[in-house]
Amino acid sequence: MAVSMRDLDPAFQGAGQKAGLEIWRIENFRPVPIDKSSYGKFFTGDSYVILKTTASKSGALRHDIHYWLGKDTSQDEAGAAAIKTVELDAALGGRAVQYREMQGHETEKFLSYFKPCIIPQEGGVASGFHHPEAEEFKIRLFVCRGKHVVHVKEVPFARSSLSHDVIFILDTKSKIFQFNGSNSSIQERAKALEVVQYIKDTHHHGKCDVAAIEDGKLMADAETGEFWGFFGGFAPLPRKTANEEDKPAEVVPAKLFSVEKGKAEPVETDSLSRDLLDTNKCYILDCGAEVFVWMGRSTSLEERKTASGAAEDLLRSLDRTRSHVVRVIEGFETVAFRANFVSWPQSTQVAVSEDGRGKVAALLKRQGLNVKGLLKAAPVKEEPKLYIDCTGSLQVWRVNGNEKTLLPASDQSKFYSGDCYIFQYSYPGEDKEDYLIGAWFGKQSLEEERASAVSLANKMVEAMKFLPAQARIYEGSEPIEFFAIFQSFIVFKGGLGDGYKKYIEEKEIPDDTYLDDGVALFRVQGSGPDNMQAIQVEPVSSSLNSSYCYILQSGSTIFMWSGSLTTPEDQELADRQLDIIKPNTQSKAQREGAESEQFWDLLGGKTEYSSQKIGRDAESDPHLFACTFSNGDLKVKEIFNFTQDDLMTEDVFILDCHCDIFVWVGQQVDVKTKTQALTIGEKFLERDFLLEKLSREAPLYVVMEGSEPPFFTRFFTWDSAKSAMHGNSFQRRLAILKNGGTPVLDKPKRRAPVSYGGRSSVVSADKPQQRSRSVSFSPDRVRVRGRSPAFNALAATFENANARNLSTPPPIVKKLYPKSATPDSGNAAPKASAIAALSSTFEQAPREPVAPRTFKAGLATSKPVPESASKEENISDRIETLTIQEDAKEGEVEDDEGLTVYPYERLITTSAEPVTNIDVTKRETYLSSTEFKVKFGMTKDAFYKLPKWKQNKLKMALKLF
C-alpha cells in the first residue's frame, strides 16, 4: 500500500505505542484526543474513533480500531470517522481490525472495554448540540439486555416501557430499583446489578439505596409498593410482541462481493475459498449480522476508503444499517471471517516484510516524530513458572481393565507407555487442602483402558463431591505442573497391564516392554532435580538429539552419551536418572563426536539425527468462552477482556490457553453437566473454534468453582472470597452490592479433611488416611516420632533446621507461595511466640484442630473435635489430648538424640525380621548415630547435606532404599 504523509493526521502521532485504550472525538471532521477521565462517556450527537492496543505474549502489539457513531451524529461526521479509522490503520502499518459501532448495537468486544456498560448522554459537539448542564435530578428508566455483556438503553419513564422479558433499572433521587422481568435469566439479573452499581457510583457518588423488584410480586413489601408508586400504582403488564430490537440478528448465507469502481458487484461461486480473493482488490463478505470488508495487501489507501463506502451503500440498499461492519487486512483476517470459507490455508504467505509499518515508520521518523511503537515490540522471554505447591502428597494407581492397582512408593513415578495411570495429589491450598486427580494415557495404551481410567477418575472426583480439580494428560504432552508433582519421572516402553499383554499377543506384535537386562535407550530431559524425566526411545541412532543426554544400557554395560549442545547441568540430571534406573552401576562417558564403536554397534550403526530441542506448544494469550452443551452439540461464545466476575455460577466456561484447556464448572450447574465436563473439553478440542490447530492431546483440566487451583486462577485477578460465596449469581451480586462491594460469606469455607500425617498422609476417595511416598519435602516439617503435635510445635522453634532428620532435600519453593516452607522458615518465629502459642492451646475453647503444615509424617493422629462440641467440654479431656507423650514406648531404644532406633539388620529391605510401623522411605533415620556413622562413613548431618540422588545411591548400596 502506498502511503504518503498527507494521508496521516497529526492527531495520530505516537498512537498505539503501548497497551491500552486511546479515544478521539470527531470535531469539525478532524480527530481530537479526549482526556482519559472521560473514557467511557459518549454523546449521542458525536462520532468517536477508539484504538485498543494489546500486547501479546510474543511481545507483538495488536490493534483493534472501532469508530462509534451516536444516533444523532450527522452522516458527514460518520463518514469522517470511517475515513479516519482507515488512516489510523495505515499509520499503524495496515494490520488492525476495524469495527463500525452503531449506538445501541455495539459489538460485545467494544462494550468489554467499558465494563459494565456505556450509557450515552444527550448532546454533541459537531452536530450543534450542547452538553446538558447540571440540573435538578431527573428520574430515568433504563432497559438492560445481555447475559455476558450488558446493552443499556434509556427508555421513556412510563409503565408502557416495562415488559416481562428483560431487566429495567429505575434511577430515582434516593434509590435505584432493579425490576427483574419474569422471563429474564438469573445471569441477566446478575449482570444488570453491575449496571446498578455503576449508576450508584457515577451518578450518586456511591450514596443511595438499592432495591430488587421481582416481576409478579404484588404489594408484598414496602419496596415493591414504592417502585409501583412511581408508575401510579400496580397494574398487570400486557404481553408484548417482539419489537425490532428483540428480534435475533438475521442469519443469511455468506455472499461475496467484489468492489469495482466504488460499487459492490456479486462474485458468482458455489463455495467460498481463499483463492477467490485477489491481493490487488477489496471485497465485501455479507454474513447478515456481520459484514466484512476484506482489503488486499496491495490496495491503496483510497481504494480501502472506497471499499468502506461501498459496504455502507450496500447495507443502506438492504435496509440493514444496524449490521456490524468489520474491516480486515489480507494476512490478518479474524477467525469469524475465515470460518466462512470452505478452505483457508493455515498460514497465507503475505509479502509484508514490515511493508506498511516500516514505510510509515520511516516517513514519520523523517519528520522527526516518535516511531517507537510502530515497530514490533521485542519478544518477552520468561522462564516457565510453577503455579502449584510441590510439598504435597501423591498416590498413583495403574489401570488394569476396569480396576486400578495402587503402586508402591518406589514405583509411583515409573510409568509404562502401554498402560494408563491415575494419580491423586493433595497439597496445601490458600485455606484448605486442595486436590488434583488425573488420568495419564501412554502412547501405546488401549482406548478401552483410557476410557476405564477416565471412568475410575470420575468416580474418585464424584466421591469427593467434585472438590478436586481433574486432569486428562497424554504422554508427550505433559504440563510442567505434572512433572513438578512427580519430580523424577520415567517412561518405559511396553506395558504391564493384562489388556496390553493380551492385545500384543492377539496382534502378534513383538513385546518391547523394558527389561532390566535388555538393550534400552533413554532420553533425559528437564530443568532441574525437581523436574527431570527419562523417556525410553527406540534404541537406534536416529533417536539421538544433540540437545539432550542419553542413557544406553545393554545388560550390565551402561553408556552415558552427552550431546554437543548439552550443559553440565544436563549431564548431572542424567547421572541422577541413572541412579534410579540402574542403581549402583558405573557408566562409560560418550561425548558426541567421540563415541566408541561398541556404542554405535548397540544402536545398529551411526545415522543422522536431530539437534533441535523438543518443546511443547507455547502458551498463547488466553481466551474465555461461555458454553452451552446439549445433545452432544457444543456452542461457545467468547467473553472479551474477561475477569473473574464473568464466571457465572450457573454456567460452564472454557479457558483456552492453546497448550492447556480448562473447563470451569459453576456450583449451580446440574450434576449431569458436571459429569460431562471432560466430554465438553474434548468436544472443544475437536471443534477448534479459534482455528488454532489445537492438539487433541492437549492437557485438559476440569475445575470446580470454589476449588480453583493456582495454575487456573493466575489468568485472573482472583478473589477467593467470591468463589466461596453461596447462592446464585444474582443473590451473590446483590449481597456484594448491599455490602459496599465486599463479598459476604454466609457459610464458612469448606474445609478438607486434615491429618497430622503431614506430607505422607493422603485423604483418598478410596482409602482415607492412606499413606504414600512423599515426592518432595519441606524443610520445616519436623519429624519426631512418638511426640504430640503440641510438643512438636514447640520443638520446631528451638531445633536447628539443618540437624533434622530429612532424608530428602527440600525442592526450591517458589515465592508464589509465601505459605510454603522455605529453608529459613524455621527461624522466622521467635521462641517466645512459640511458647505463647503452646500455652494458648490449653486456654482456648475447643475447636476443630487443624494440622500445621510443618508437621512431618509419623506424628500421632488425633481425631478432629466437631465444631459443634459443647464449650462446657471437660477441660481435663482437652489437656489429656495435648499431654506431651513419652519419646519412646516401652521396650524401644533411643539414641543420644532421643529418637527410637533399631538394629541395621532389621531395617534393611531384605531383613528376615523386618521392623513394622516405620516410614519405609526413611529407614536410615532409625539407625543409632554410632551405627549410622559405621555404615555410611559419615555423620547424619553430613549425610543430609548431600544431594538427594547421592543420598539415594548410598541408601541403595546399603539396602535401605
Side-chain angles (χ1 to χ4, degrees):
M1 177 184 67
V3 181
S4 64
M5 285 306 298
R6 62 182 175 81
D7 294 320
L8 303 177
D9 197 292
F12 295 142
Q13 294 176 13
Q17 295 188 21
K18 59 182 180 180
L21 207 59
E22 297 170 80
I23 303 179
W24 297 263
R25 179 166 53 206
I26 302 299
E27 299 181 9
N28 297 321
F29 311 111
R30 309 290 297 183
V32 177
I34 67 174
D35 190 82
K36 288 189 176 182
S37 62
S38 297
Y39 283 10
K41 183 184 293 185
F42 296 93
F43 290 92
T44 61
D46 290 333
S47 297
Y48 297 80
V49 175
I50 299 94
L51 170 63
K52 173 66 173 179
T53 304
T54 307
S56 65
K57 283 186 175 293
S58 66
L61 295 177
R62 298 198 313 265
H63 300 100
D64 290 291
I65 308 174
H66 306 255
Y67 60 103
W68 185 89
L69 308 177
K71 65 181 180 65
D72 298 319
T73 191
S74 68
Q75 188 170 335
D76 289 341
E77 255 195 350
I83 291 173
K84 291 302 177 183
T85 299
V86 177
E87 292 181 12
L88 176 56
D89 171 54
L92 295 171
R95 303 183 183 190
V97 180
Q98 305 160 44
Y99 303 83
R100 186 189 72 166
E101 308 287 351
M102 301 291 288
Q103 180 184 338
H105 306 282
E106 297 87 354
T107 63
E108 293 198 353
K109 177 174 250 187
F110 175 80
L111 291 176
S112 73
Y113 306 151
F114 308 100
K115 288 184 176 180
C117 65
I118 61 170
I119 303 179
Q121 301 179 35
E122 293 293 331
V125 173
S127 303
F129 287 84
H130 295 288
H131 297 165
E133 301 293 334
E135 55 187 28
E136 188 174 343
F137 189 90
K138 176 186 175 184
I139 295 178
R140 295 184 298 172
L141 183 64
F142 301 95
V143 61
C144 299
R145 291 182 173 86
K147 180 177 175 181
H148 302 292
V149 175
V150 188
H151 292 262
V152 181
K153 179 183 178 182
E154 185 172 358
V155 293
F157 171 40
R159 183 198 304 275
S160 58
S161 296
L162 300 177
S163 79
H164 299 291
D165 300 320
V166 289
I167 315 293
F168 292 87
I169 295 175
L170 180 65
D171 182 19
T172 70
K173 189 171 184 178
S174 60
K175 186 177 289 187
I176 303 174
F177 297 88
Q178 176 171 315
F179 176 81
N180 299 321
S182 56
N183 297 331
S184 63
S185 68
I186 292 174
Q187 297 94 319
E188 289 174 317
R189 299 177 186 189
K191 278 297 175 184
L193 279 176
E194 295 180 10
V195 180
V196 171
Q197 180 75 64
Y198 170 79
I199 295 174
K200 178 180 177 180
D201 294 338
T202 306
H203 301 294
H204 297 267
H205 307 290
K207 298 178 181 179
C208 72
D209 294 329
V210 173
I213 309 300
E214 295 300 322
D215 184 13
K217 189 176 183 180
L218 304 180
M219 314 292 282
D221 59 64
E223 289 181 333
T224 302
E226 186 180 357
F227 171 80
W228 286 111
F230 285 100
F231 296 94
F234 174 79
L237 298 178
R239 185 181 300 275
K240 292 186 177 181
T241 56
N243 57 30
E244 287 298 316
E245 293 186 357
D246 296 327
K247 292 179 181 178
E250 183 181 358
V251 178
V252 299
K255 191 172 183 181
L256 186 65
F257 297 84
S258 173
V259 179
E260 306 287 348
K261 298 180 180 180
K263 293 185 178 182
E265 300 292 341
V267 176
E268 299 299 331
T269 179
D270 294 330
S271 62
L272 296 176
S273 67
R274 172 66 178 82
D275 298 336
L276 293 172
L277 305 178
D278 184 351
T279 188
N280 298 301
K281 291 185 177 182
C282 293
Y283 295 84
I284 298 171
L285 182 66
D286 181 12
C287 302
E290 276 188 317
V291 174
F292 295 93
V293 179
W294 185 90
M295 297 173 280
R297 174 57 64 175
S298 300
T299 55
S300 68
L301 188 61
E302 287 303 320
E303 287 175 318
R304 297 181 183 184
K305 291 179 181 179
T306 301
S308 298
E312 300 279 355
D313 293 340
L314 176 65
L315 288 176
R316 276 193 290 270
S317 67
L318 297 173
D319 193 24
R320 291 213 325 265
T321 55
R322 295 186 305 169
S323 295
H324 295 144
V325 177
V326 183
R327 301 193 293 236
V328 295
I329 308 295
E330 178 184 6
F332 301 93
E333 297 88 353
T334 64
V335 172
F337 176 83
R338 288 184 281 135
N340 291 286
F341 289 76
V342 176
S343 60
W344 190 279
Q346 280 294 329
S347 56
T348 307
Q349 295 298 322
V350 182
V352 178
S353 65
E354 295 300 316
D355 174 34
R357 189 177 292 259
K359 289 181 180 179
V360 174
L363 287 168
L364 294 178
K365 191 172 183 180
R366 215 173 292 152
Q367 298 294 320
L369 302 177
N370 183 0
V371 297
K372 177 181 176 183
L374 297 184
L375 299 177
K376 182 179 178 180
V380 179
K381 294 183 179 180
E382 292 184 354
E383 291 295 323
K385 292 181 181 179
L386 188 60
Y387 292 92
I388 192 169
D389 191 310
C390 293
T391 63
S393 300
L394 177 69
Q395 285 183 296
V396 181
W397 295 263
R398 183 173 59 249
V399 176
N400 198 5
N402 294 321
E403 299 178 350
K404 63 183 191 294
T405 305
L406 181 65
L407 299 184
S410 56
D411 292 339
Q412 63 182 14
S413 62
K414 298 176 182 177
F415 284 21
Y416 285 80
S417 189
D419 293 330
C420 294
Y421 296 82
I422 297 172
F423 63 92
Q424 175 177 302
Y425 181 63
S426 61
Y427 57 99
E430 182 177 343
D431 60 351
K432 60 179 174 21
E433 199 78 359
D434 285 338
Y435 298 90
L436 174 63
I437 293 177
W440 181 91
F441 303 154
K443 287 183 177 179
Q444 299 172 276
S445 62
L446 306 178
E447 284 297 332
E448 295 83 356
E449 296 222 326
R450 293 180 181 183
S452 179
V454 170
S455 176
L456 291 168
N458 283 341
K459 290 178 181 178
M460 293 172 66
V461 172
E462 290 177 32
M464 299 179 71
K465 299 182 179 179
F466 295 100
L467 288 178
Q470 189 175 354
R472 188 222 59 186
I473 297 170
Y474 280 86
E475 177 188 349
S477 299
E478 297 90 346
I480 186 174
E481 288 80 13
F482 176 85
F483 286 143
I485 289 171
F486 283 85
Q487 297 193 353
S488 176
F489 186 69
I490 303 172
V491 179
F492 296 107
K493 293 181 73 67
L496 303 179
D498 295 338
Y500 175 79
K501 296 293 186 184
K502 182 179 179 182
Y503 174 80
I504 61 174
E505 182 181 348
E506 291 176 350
K507 299 293 183 180
E508 298 182 351
I509 300 173
D511 189 355
D512 60 353
T513 302
Y514 171 77
L515 297 174
D516 189 59
D517 58 353
V519 176
L521 181 65
F522 294 88
R523 182 181 72 246
V524 179
Q525 61 192 36
S527 59
D530 55 345
N531 173 22
M532 57 181 184
Q533 303 88 45
I535 313 298
Q536 187 178 356
V537 295
E538 288 294 327
V540 293
S541 56
S542 59
S543 296
L544 298 175
N545 188 311
S546 301
S547 296
Y548 298 94
C549 292
Y550 288 77
I551 298 170
L552 174 62
Q553 75 166 58
S554 177
S556 59
T557 303
I558 304 293
F559 290 98
M560 185 74 72
W561 186 84
S562 302
S564 59
L565 301 179
T566 60
T567 65
E569 289 76 16
D570 295 328
Q571 293 155 25
E572 182 183 348
L573 292 186
D575 285 333
R576 289 172 180 264
Q577 290 289 49
L578 177 60
D579 284 334
I580 300 173
I581 298 172
K582 298 286 284 185
N584 306 319
T585 57
Q586 295 294 323
S587 63
K588 300 178 182 179
Q590 302 281 300
R591 292 290 303 177
E592 183 177 6
E595 299 88 350
S596 64
E597 290 186 10
Q598 184 185 7
F599 176 83
W600 290 121
D601 288 343
L602 287 173
L603 294 179
K606 184 177 181 179
T607 58
E608 291 186 358
Y609 50 83
S610 176
S611 61
Q612 188 72 31
K613 207 170 183 70
I614 302 169
R616 68 189 298 257
D617 287 345
E619 183 176 280
S620 66
D621 298 300
H623 295 263
L624 183 69
F625 297 88
C627 303
T628 303
F629 187 65
S630 178
N631 299 323
D633 182 35
L634 177 65
K635 295 181 180 179
V636 300
K637 186 173 187 178
E638 184 167 5
I639 310 298
F640 300 100
N641 297 294
F642 60 84
T643 66
Q644 181 185 355
D645 290 335
D646 290 311
L647 300 175
M648 312 288 274
T649 188
E650 296 80 15
D651 293 329
V652 175
F653 292 82
I654 288 180
L655 185 67
D656 175 9
C657 311
H658 185 72
C659 63
D660 297 301
I661 304 296
F662 298 87
V663 182
W664 183 91
V665 183
Q667 291 178 3
Q668 302 286 324
V669 171
D670 61 89
V671 174
K672 180 182 177 182
T673 304
K674 287 181 179 179
T675 59
Q676 294 176 328
L678 205 59
T679 303
I680 292 173
E682 290 174 338
K683 185 69 70 173
F684 182 87
L685 288 172
E686 177 188 332
R687 296 285 299 275
D688 191 12
F689 290 95
L690 292 181
L691 306 179
E692 53 181 326
K693 274 193 170 179
L694 275 178
S695 169
R696 298 286 292 273
E697 298 184 356
L700 187 59
Y701 296 94
V702 175
V703 176
M704 294 294 169
E705 182 184 13
S707 300
E708 294 88 350
F711 49 88
F712 172 81
T713 59
R714 68 188 178 96
F715 295 103
F716 302 80
T717 301
W718 196 260
D719 182 354
S720 57
K722 288 182 178 179
S723 63
M725 294 182 72
H726 294 263
N728 61 40
S729 297
F730 174 72
Q731 292 166 339
R732 296 182 189 187
R733 174 56 60 181
L734 186 61
I736 293 175
L737 181 59
K738 291 190 173 183
N739 195 47
T742 304
V744 180
L745 301 181
D746 54 355
K747 294 183 181 179
K749 290 185 180 180
R750 294 185 300 276
R751 175 169 285 158
V754 179
S755 148
Y756 282 118
R759 293 201 65 256
S760 294
S761 178
V762 177
V763 179
S764 169
D766 295 338
K767 299 178 181 179
Q769 310 304 327
Q770 175 72 42
R771 294 172 61 84
S772 74
R773 178 180 72 90
S774 300
V775 295
S776 63
F777 197 83
S778 176
D780 65 346
R781 296 184 180 215
V782 187
R783 183 184 182 280
V784 183
R785 295 176 301 281
R787 296 178 180 173
S788 71
F791 183 88
N792 285 320
L794 182 63
T797 308
F798 292 90
E799 287 180 352
N800 178 0
N802 296 326
R804 293 177 187 163
N805 295 327
L806 308 182
S807 65
T808 310
I812 299 174
V813 181
K814 309 299 178 186
K815 292 182 179 180
L816 294 169
Y817 298 95
K819 293 186 179 181
S820 299
T822 60
D824 297 325
S825 61
N827 301 326
K831 297 178 181 179
S833 299
I835 296 172
L838 177 66
S839 302
S840 66
T841 63
F842 297 94
E843 300 167 1
Q844 292 174 352
R847 61 184 177 85
E848 180 185 48
V850 180
R853 293 178 186 148
T854 56
F855 290 163
K856 194 66 187 121
L859 301 182
T861 304
S862 61
K863 295 181 179 179
V865 180
E867 290 184 3
S868 59
S870 170
K871 292 184 179 180
E872 288 77 26
E873 180 186 26
N874 194 323
I875 191 65
S876 63
D877 294 339
R878 175 65 175 166
I879 295 175
E880 183 180 348
T881 62
L882 294 173
T883 300
I884 299 176
Q885 302 174 1
E886 292 296 325
D887 289 297
K889 297 178 182 178
E890 185 178 356
E892 293 182 343
V893 183
E894 296 183 354
D895 68 356
D896 52 5
E897 296 178 354
L899 301 179
T900 306
V901 299
Y902 298 97
Y904 169 75
E905 291 73 18
R906 295 190 63 193
L907 291 170
I908 59 178
T909 56
T910 57
S911 174
E913 189 184 355
V915 183
T916 58
N917 297 323
I918 64 169
D919 188 342
V920 295
T921 66
K922 300 170 180 61
R923 298 173 184 270
E924 78 284 355
T925 61
Y926 299 91
L927 291 170
S928 67
S929 298
T930 303
E931 193 168 15
F932 188 97
K933 190 169 184 179
V934 171
K935 295 295 182 182
F936 285 89
M938 66 184 76
T939 64
K940 290 186 178 182
D941 284 353
F943 175 78
Y944 292 124
K945 290 179 181 177
L946 296 174
K948 176 183 176 182
W949 66 276
K950 287 188 178 180
Q951 292 181 29
N952 290 339
K953 191 170 185 179
L954 290 171
K955 288 161 63 176
M956 289 176 187
L958 293 170
K959 300 180 181 179
L960 291 171
F961 187 81

